[in-house]
Amino acid sequence: STDNGATWGEVVMVSFRPNRRDGMPVPLVVGNEILVAIEDNKQEQFKPYIVRTSLQNPWSTPVIADVKQRNSALRQSLPDDTYAGAPYIMKLPTGEVLMSYQTTRNRTKDWEKSTMDVAIGDKEGRNFTILDQPFQVPLEREAKWGSIALWDKNTVVATAASNLDGG
């Protein structure tokens, strides 16, 4: 939409991995590119990936499978059996791109018992390094379906749905 959602243009395919699926897309304009964080199950479990296109000529061709416009978001790969899905991205005032996703890293293999990881990338939305798990929940609990937002120029807020209190 170019008019704040009053009308919409044509439907365009952004990305696709044959025999898999690209899920949970979150877009962000960075410089003269549109980045979309997705969960990609190329391997055994979902991992955060970034697909990108030019702001001037967006999605002239879809990002299919392994092309230069699709990159694993994390600089250091997670093990194939570690789940890392439902990514969310935002830009910091300093220009770096921050990403959150739900994961089984350092937890059980049950994705239902995921918690949030937060990672920071460079100003182009590449080379994300894991920073922290903001919600220290017991292994039998979860903190999923999260997002991050800029509260003010120095404060990032992380939110997640959780059963931390047993509910």
Side-chain angles (χ1 to χ4, degrees), residues 31-34 53-59:
N32 56 357
E33 288 188 310
I34 301 169
T53 190
S54 159
L55 191 57
Q56 289 72 35
N57 190 18
W59 316 115

Side-chain angles (χ1 to χ4, degrees), residues 10-15 34 52-64 68-69:
E10 289 182 43
V11 173
V12 176
M13 180 189 294
V14 170
S15 68
I34 301 169
R52 56 186 68 233
T53 190
S54 159
L55 191 57
Q56 289 72 35
N57 190 18
W59 316 115
S60 57
T61 58
V63 178
I64 305 295
K68 68 179 185 170
Q69 296 87 0

Side-chain angles (χ1 to χ4, degrees), residues 58-76:
W59 316 115
S60 57
T61 58
V63 178
I64 305 295
D66 293 317
V67 295
K68 68 179 185 170
Q69 296 87 0
R70 177 191 296 256
N71 305 101
S72 173
L74 299 176
R75 179 185 301 161
Q76 187 172 8

